[in-house]
């Protein structure tokens, strides 16, 4: 019996990561598409990435990049002397991360991960808040991975949106991967959910048309932030 196809693994995304080229989209059921910036993901850190990386250098190490994709942020962090690890479910993404000098494991956010509760920072960039179409679960799990008082850096949609939908990865030849649930959230919707996960907004910023939040996990009782 053939195993069911897995999104981001048995679809055009894996091929695009191997080649480093798009175009690539998430197709909604009614036919509209969300562009995936695969060529930026496969290139070196650039633009708004540098503002994100600069904030990582001010965090307590180490840093975990969830859904690291082709690994540009992991490799850049290691180049800056910041201990970092990427996790991704796509074998091609993990292989590419290692090939450019990063460290990565082929795992899901919801698998058992090293250093749970001890990470100084967790990254959710490039739309990864939408994993599984359940941002509440993603934020709760990210909080579990953080050390008390540590920081989640999350990229949100530039506009104020709160969307949960079924999508399929579509390649340039029109080939579609299996359907899966995905979410897109703006800053306000993310902050509302973050509070329920035990996270407090510390900063929000926009750079090169991309928008980000820094969210702190509450410190251990009797222990102030920064100690």
């Amino acid at each position: 019996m053939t195993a069911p196809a897995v999104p981001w693994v048995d679809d055009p995304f894996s091929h695009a990561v191997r080649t480093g080229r798009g175009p690539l989209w998430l197709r909604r059921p009614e036919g509209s598409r969300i562009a995936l910036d695969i060529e930026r993901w496969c290139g070196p850190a650039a633009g708004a990435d540098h503002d994100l990386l600069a904030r990582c250098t001010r965090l307590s190490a180490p840093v975990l990049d969830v859904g690291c994709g082709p690994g540009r942020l992991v490799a850049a962090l290691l180049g800056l002397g910041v201990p970092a690890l990427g996790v991704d479910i796509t074998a091609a993404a993990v292989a590419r991360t290692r090939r450019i000098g990063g460290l990565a494991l082929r795992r899901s956010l919801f698998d058992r991960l090293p250093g749970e509760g001890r990470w100084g920072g967790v990254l959710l960039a490039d739309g990864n808040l939408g994993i599984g179409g359940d941002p509440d679960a993603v934020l709760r799990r990210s909080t579990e991975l953080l050390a008390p008082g540590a920081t989640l850096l999350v990229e949100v949609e530039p506009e104020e949106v709160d969307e949960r939908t079924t999508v399929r990865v579509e390649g340039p030849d029109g080939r579609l991967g299996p359907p899966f649930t995905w979410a897109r959230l703006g800053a306000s919707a993310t902050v509302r959910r973050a509070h329920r996960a035990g996270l407090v907004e510390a900063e929000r910023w926009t750079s090169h048309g991309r928008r980000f939040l820094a969210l702190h996990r509450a410190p251990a009782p009797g222990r102030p932030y920064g100690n």
Side-chain angles (χ1 to χ4, degrees), residues 138-224:
V138 170
L139 290 166
R140 286 194 303 269
R141 178 60 174 148
S142 298
T143 304
E144 292 172 353
L145 295 169
L146 289 167
T151 302
L152 173 66
L153 296 172
V154 56
E155 183 171 359
V156 298
E157 295 299 318
E159 69 275 16
E160 289 297 348
V161 62
D162 190 346
E163 176 189 30
R164 185 175 184 269
T165 187
T166 299
V167 294
R168 303 172 76 179
V169 177
E170 180 179 357
D173 59 357
R175 186 168 73 89
L176 294 168
F180 60 98
T181 308
W182 196 251
R184 298 171 65 246
L185 271 70
S188 296
T190 301
V191 168
R192 287 196 301 272
R193 286 171 166 77
H195 287 165
R196 297 198 292 265
L199 296 162
V200 178
E201 181 183 355
E203 183 186 7
R204 65 175 71 185
W205 75 96
T206 300
S207 177
H208 295 77
R210 296 164 62 194
R211 199 172 192 190
F212 302 87
L213 296 171
L215 304 166
H216 284 322
R217 180 182 176 182
R223 185 176 179 179

Side-chain angles (χ1 to χ4, degrees), residues 29-163:
E30 80 285 359
S32 64
R33 302 189 300 188
I34 304 164
L36 298 177
D37 202 350
I38 188 69
E39 292 176 7
R40 176 173 63 81
W41 299 348
C42 289
D49 292 338
H50 293 304
D51 295 304
L52 185 62
L53 293 166
R55 284 165 173 81
C56 288
T57 65
R58 300 195 289 268
L59 302 178
S60 299
V63 173
L64 180 70
D65 184 3
V66 173
C68 66
R72 76 187 190 286
L73 297 177
V74 176
L77 285 170
L78 291 172
L80 292 170
V82 178
L85 175 70
V87 295
D88 203 286
I89 63 170
T90 307
V94 170
R96 190 178 182 110
T97 300
R98 293 172 178 170
R99 192 162 62 248
I100 64 173
L103 301 174
L105 297 175
R106 188 183 180 192
R107 296 191 193 171
S108 161
L109 166 64
F110 299 102
D111 290 337
R112 184 155 183 82
L113 296 173
E116 296 197 11
R118 300 194 299 276
W119 291 94
V122 170
L123 299 182
L124 284 171
D126 303 326
N128 284 320
L129 180 59
I131 289 172
D134 191 345
D136 292 298
V138 170
L139 290 166
R140 286 194 303 269
R141 178 60 174 148
S142 298
T143 304
E144 292 172 353
L145 295 169
L146 289 167
T151 302
L152 173 66
L153 296 172
V154 56
E155 183 171 359
V156 298
E157 295 299 318
E159 69 275 16
E160 289 297 348
V161 62
D162 190 346
E163 176 189 30

Side-chain angles (χ1 to χ4, degrees), residues 1-5:
M1 182 176 178
T2 303

Side-chain angles (χ1 to χ4, degrees), residues 17-39:
V17 168
R18 285 192 292 271
T19 63
R21 294 191 302 273
L24 208 63
W25 302 272
L26 295 180
R27 178 176 283 275
R28 297 184 178 98
E30 80 285 359
S32 64
R33 302 189 300 188
I34 304 164
L36 298 177
D37 202 350
I38 188 69
E39 292 176 7

